[in-house]
Amino acid sequence: MSQICVKARIKGRVQGVGFRFHTAHQGLKYGLTGYAKNLPDGSVEVLACGHEEAVTQLLAWLQEGPKTSVVTSVEADEVEWRHVDGFEIL
């Protein structure tokens, strides 16, 4: 199974609603590593690394996010593989 890293930018009402916490929880549930961090423009950046199928599952979850959020768009691009320990909230 191939390993990939994807960097996604999620826009909408995604800050101050527990989005990063829930994303890290989902990432760990899927066996991924990476991070979720707030960006100055109000969006959230997510790096997810692991098995391609698991990354795809997380990207599908990001389309909805937690019940407290309102996701308006998700832009995702594959990036160069990197080893990350755990799934951090930055």
Side-chain angles (χ1 to χ4, degrees), residues 2-23:
S2 64
Q3 301 262 48
I4 63 169
C5 280
V6 170
K7 189 179 279 187
R9 185 177 196 145
I10 302 89
K11 295 181 180 177
R13 190 167 55 109
V14 293
Q15 288 191 11
V17 294
F19 196 92
R20 293 175 300 154
F21 171 82
H22 289 287
T23 299

Side-chain angles (χ1 to χ4, degrees), residues 58-78:
L58 182 64
L59 288 174
W61 181 86
L62 288 171
Q63 297 288 335
E64 297 290 321
K67 291 181 170 124
T68 52
S69 69
V70 178
V71 176
T72 57
S73 73
V74 176
E75 300 166 13
D77 293 303
E78 193 168 338

Side-chain angles (χ1 to χ4, degrees), residues 16-73:
V17 294
F19 196 92
R20 293 175 300 154
F21 171 82
H22 289 287
T23 299
H25 177 76
Q26 288 296 128
L28 291 171
K29 182 174 140 185
Y30 295 136
L32 301 172
T33 62
Y35 63 77
K37 74 175 180 179
N38 287 339
L39 295 177
D41 67 358
S43 63
V44 171
E45 180 179 280
V46 173
L47 176 73
C49 300
H51 292 295
E52 189 171 2
E53 184 179 301
V55 172
T56 300
Q57 287 178 304
L58 182 64
L59 288 174
W61 181 86
L62 288 171
Q63 297 288 335
E64 297 290 321
K67 291 181 170 124
T68 52
S69 69
V70 178
V71 176
T72 57
S73 73

